[in-house]
């Protein structure tokens, strides 16, 4: 038996324990997933605790995704690029345990699009936000062949993100708020944190029914944007879908087990369909 931890502050509303514990049970694995409320000054000792026996690995969430980076021994490509991680795996070798950080945002996002049948190749995609999540997602959209436009409250951050992408795939920048010109778009992605507290990043802007709306905010209740998009007849990828596929990838990183049984168990543990 081993324990996987969620390190965050606060963690009370996280949907991750229910998803992972359901998957452990469905697969007959003797493990357990536990959320730990870790204030910032306790993060170094919480991460060194992951080197102890009996630990399977960890997820890392707000506000520790960046702070965890120097506390581990190695990083996957997306974590290194975004300087943020949401998963830690442990690798015992020669009497020592090394920790590796992963960022599963990109894969979770791409899987969510694929599962929902959304092909962004040659589509006009507006991404709202230029924070950690956008830094994982925007390169993926560009590499999938989307024509990406970025809008962020802090314009310089959008410019920095655009400049980090290969010139041939480089996004354009649009002014914030990003609602103007939705009629000329195929897909809009909310990669800001707006929606966590019931905000709507597109406020009262009408959503054309042909628009695909992707919201990455993983709230237990639908965000206002998702609710409006469904009411307008848009195709919607809800934040719970990205959460689910990220969780499935963390599970695979820790256990080596992946597949339909894992995803079905996790999906059934969510408060609404994903
Ligand atoms: P995450 O890792 O979830 O992306 P982050 O790196 O803090 O978190 O980024 C949050 C994103 O939401 C940013 O794009 C941020 O805009 P700024 O770069 O201008 O900070 C955006 N955001 C957060 N609160 C916002 C608000 N009240 N209005 C507009 N954008 C907001």
């Amino acid at each position: 038996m081993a324990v996987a931890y969620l390190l965050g502050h606060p963690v009370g509303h996280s949907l991750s324990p229910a998803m992972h514990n359901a998957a452990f049970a469905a697969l007959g694995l003797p493990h357990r997933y536990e959320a730990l409320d870790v204030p910032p000054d306790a993060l170094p000792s919480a991460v060194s605790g992951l080197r102890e026996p009996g630990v399977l690995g960890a997820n890392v969430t707000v506000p520790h995704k960046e702070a965890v980076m120097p506390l581990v021994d190695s990083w996957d490509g997306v974590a290194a690029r975004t300087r943020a991680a949401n998963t830690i795996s442990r690798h015992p070798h020669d009497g020592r345990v090394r920790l590796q950080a992963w960022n599963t945002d990109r894969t979770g996002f791409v899987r969510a699009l694929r599962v929902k049948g959304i092909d962004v190749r040659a589509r006009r995609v507006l991404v709202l936000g230029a924070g950690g999540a956008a830094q994982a997602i925007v390169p993926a959209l560009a590499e999938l062949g989307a024509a990406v436009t970025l809008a962020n409250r802090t314009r310089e951050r959008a410019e920095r993100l655009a400049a980090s992408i290969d010139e041939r795939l480089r996004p354009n920048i649009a002014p914030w708020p990003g609602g103007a010109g939705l009629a000329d778009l195929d897909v809009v992605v909310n990669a800001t944190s707006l929606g966590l507290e019931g905000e709507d990043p597109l406020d009262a802007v009408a959503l054309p029914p042909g628009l695909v709306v992707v919201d990455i905010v993983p709230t237990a209740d639908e965000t206002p944007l998702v609710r409006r998009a469904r009411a307008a007849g848009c195709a919607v990828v809800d934040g719970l879908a990205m959460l689910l596929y990220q969780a499935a990838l963390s599970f695979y990183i820790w256990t080596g087990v992946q597949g339909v049984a894992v995803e079905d168990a996790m999906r059934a543990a969510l408060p609404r369909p994903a």
Side-chain angles (χ1 to χ4, degrees):
M1 202 279 283
V3 186
Y5 293 100
L6 170 65
L7 312 180
H9 182 66
V11 289
H13 293 110
S14 173
L15 300 168
S16 297
M19 277 193 295
H20 284 284
N21 285 323
F24 290 143
L27 286 133
L29 294 170
H31 307 315
R32 180 158 62 80
Y33 186 103
E34 243 177 58
L36 286 184
D37 195 320
V38 178
D41 59 357
L43 185 66
S45 66
V47 173
S48 58
L50 301 176
R51 298 180 195 269
E52 300 299 320
V55 177
L56 188 62
N59 280 139
V60 182
T61 188
V62 179
H64 302 316
K65 287 179 169 186
E66 283 109 29
V68 77
M69 292 291 283
L71 304 175
V72 301
D73 306 299
S74 59
W75 306 268
D76 83 329
V78 184
R81 184 176 197 287
T82 58
R83 300 187 179 84
N86 62 1
T87 302
I88 297 176
S89 58
R90 51 199 300 293
H91 303 270
H93 182 64
D94 274 350
R96 218 184 127 216
V97 175
R98 301 190 354 121
L99 300 179
Q100 165 141 345
W102 307 74
N103 185 323
T104 63
D105 279 346
R106 175 184 169 124
T107 306
F109 176 78
V110 171
R111 276 271 292 143
L113 289 185
R114 190 167 303 149
V115 168
K116 302 284 175 186
I118 290 159
D119 184 357
V120 295
R121 200 139 90 93
R123 310 293 291 280
R124 295 156 303 179
V125 179
L126 172 66
V127 178
L128 306 171
Q135 286 170 42
I137 284 168
V138 169
L141 286 167
E143 287 160 29
L144 288 169
V148 181
T149 300
L150 296 179
N152 192 52
R153 177 179 61 178
T154 311
R155 187 183 172 101
E156 306 83 74
R157 222 174 164 194
E159 284 167 354
R160 263 203 309 279
L161 171 52
S164 73
I165 291 172
D166 188 284
E167 204 175 339
R168 289 163 304 163
L169 305 175
R170 189 162 294 161
N172 298 312
I173 311 287
W176 178 269
L182 284 185
D184 299 328
L185 289 172
D186 301 305
V187 181
V188 64
V189 180
N190 175 34
T192 71
S193 46
L194 293 173
L196 275 177
E197 310 284 343
E199 318 91 318
D200 185 337
L202 292 173
D203 241 339
V205 181
L207 304 170
L211 189 67
V212 175
V213 175
V214 184
D215 196 347
I216 69 150
V217 174
T219 45
D221 294 324
E222 283 183 335
T223 61
L225 177 62
V226 164
R227 202 174 312 124
R228 282 203 305 125
R230 291 206 164 112
C234 301
V236 174
V237 183
D238 182 292
L240 289 191
M242 180 164 154
L243 184 74
L244 166 66
Y245 297 113
Q246 278 177 330
L249 181 54
S250 293
F251 192 94
Y252 174 59
I253 287 168
W254 301 326
T255 64
V257 179
Q258 63 180 337
V260 173
V262 173
E263 291 179 6
D264 282 354
M266 289 185 165
R267 193 177 289 110
L270 287 170
R272 56 198 165 77

